[in-house]
Amino acid sequence: METYEIKSTEKISEVHLKSFLLTNLEKEDFLLSPNSYIFASYLEELNKYQLIVFEKSNSLAPEIFLHKAIYENELLITQKFFCLYKEKKVYFYQELKEKLDKERIEEFIKSSFNLDNLSIVDEINEDKKEEKNYRFIKYKKSYLFKLLILYFLILFIALLWYFSLDKKSEKDISISSLKKKIESQKKDNTYTFISSKIINLYYQAKQKEINLHLIQQNDNSFLIELSSLNKNRIYEFFDNYKTSINSFKYDELIGGYIVNANIEFIRK
C-alpha cells in the first residue's frame, strides 16, 4: 500500500474527482499497476488530497478500511502504521518506518488537523461490512492520447512517403500544384483530415494541461467542452485556433474553469 499527495485548494466534486486524480497521477508519472485501487481523502487543513493506493487481496480492501471506528475522531496506532478516522471513516494514513512514541504521534495528529478531542486505540476492530462505506477508484491508465499520436505519426510518414514517390515521377512540381494536391487529398480523405485535426486538439490541450470533455464535429468546425484550473492556459490554447466562445465560467466545485466553444478547422 502506497500513499501520494496532490495539492488542491478546494475539495473537488465527486463528478470531476476521478478525472482530476487520474490526470494528476499520469502527469506526475506515478508508478501504478493496472490492478491498483485508489482511495482519496481531502485533507482540508493541509489543502491537499491524500491518495491511498493498493491492490485488493482476496477481494478485500486493506485492514484500515475494515476497522470499525467507535469514536468520531479516532486514532488507530499499530506497530506498522497509524490511521486517523474522522466521522468514523479513514481520513489520514501514515506508515511507520521507525518506532515512534504514541505521544509524539498523537501530538502530530492534533497539531496537523486542529483536533482537541482525540481517542486512541491500538487494536483493529475488524468488520468486513465497513468496506461498503468507502468509494474506491479503479485505476485504468488511458492510452487514447498515445494511440492518437501514434496514428498521427503513421499518417504523417505515409503522406511523406507518398509525396516522395510522387516527386520522383514528377520532377518539376510547383508550390501551387502541391497545394492543389493536398487540398484534393483532404477532400478525398475526409476521415483522415478530421482525425488529424482531432489529434492536434488533443496534443495542444495536453501541452496546456487542459482536459477535453467533449469534441463534436459540426460542418467546418468542432464544438468542444474543456476544463482547466488555469484561465491563461485556456486563452493560450485558443490562440492556436479561430475560436468562438459560447460560455466561459468559473466552477467552484472543481476550483477551475469550464468552457464551451466552437473551433474552426482552419488555423489562424
Side-chain angles (χ1 to χ4, degrees), residues 4 14-15 49 78 120 139 159 171 184 186 197 248 256:
Y4 302 101
E14 290 296 321
V15 177
Y49 272 92
T78 71
I120 312 296
Y139 175 73
L159 289 174
K171 294 182 180 179
S184 175
K186 288 179 181 178
K197 296 298 178 184
F248 197 125

Side-chain angles (χ1 to χ4, degrees), residues 63-163:
E63 54 189 354
I64 62 171
F65 301 108
L66 304 180
H67 173 69
K68 186 176 179 64
I70 300 174
Y71 308 99
E72 289 297 312
N73 295 324
E74 183 172 295
L75 179 59
L76 171 64
I77 303 176
T78 71
Q79 292 183 344
K80 296 181 179 180
F81 66 86
F82 62 88
C83 185
L84 172 64
Y85 293 78
K86 288 184 71 174
E87 298 179 356
K88 300 182 179 181
K89 292 184 66 174
V90 170
Y91 188 72
F92 177 78
Y93 166 84
Q94 179 67 58
E95 180 184 358
L96 287 174
K97 296 183 178 180
E98 59 181 79
K99 190 173 181 179
L100 294 176
D101 295 333
K102 290 184 179 181
E103 290 76 13
R104 288 183 62 188
I105 297 174
E106 181 180 359
E107 182 182 350
F108 166 73
I109 291 295
K110 283 184 175 181
S111 61
S112 297
F113 301 104
N114 301 322
L115 295 174
D116 295 325
N117 299 319
L118 188 62
S119 300
I120 312 296
V121 296
D122 55 13
E123 290 186 3
I124 296 175
N125 181 20
E126 187 171 307
D127 185 345
K128 295 179 181 179
K129 294 180 181 179
E130 284 297 306
E131 183 181 349
K132 296 180 180 179
N133 295 327
Y134 296 96
R135 175 178 177 265
F136 302 117
I137 297 173
K138 180 71 170 68
Y139 175 73
K140 185 177 181 181
K141 190 168 185 177
S142 173
Y143 293 96
L144 176 60
F145 178 73
K146 291 184 178 180
L147 289 174
L148 286 172
I149 293 299
L150 178 61
Y151 172 78
F152 180 70
L153 288 174
I154 293 174
L155 177 64
F156 175 77
I157 292 172
L159 289 174
L160 188 65
W161 176 76
Y162 170 79
F163 284 117

Side-chain angles (χ1 to χ4, degrees), residues 156-173 178 181:
F156 175 77
I157 292 172
L159 289 174
L160 188 65
W161 176 76
Y162 170 79
F163 284 117
S164 66
L165 288 181
D166 203 43
K167 274 188 175 182
K168 291 179 181 179
S169 60
E170 300 178 22
K171 294 182 180 179
D172 300 318
I173 298 180
L178 184 59
K181 193 178 291 294

Side-chain angles (χ1 to χ4, degrees), residues 30-61:
F30 289 127
L31 298 177
L32 304 182
S33 79
N35 299 319
S36 294
Y37 285 81
I38 303 167
F39 173 73
S41 176
Y42 183 63
L43 310 177
E44 186 176 359
E45 300 82 0
L46 306 179
N47 288 329
K48 64 177 64 173
Y49 272 92
Q50 181 186 60
L51 307 186
I52 302 175
V53 182
F54 62 92
E55 294 185 16
K56 279 194 174 183
S57 176
N58 299 322
S59 299
L60 290 176

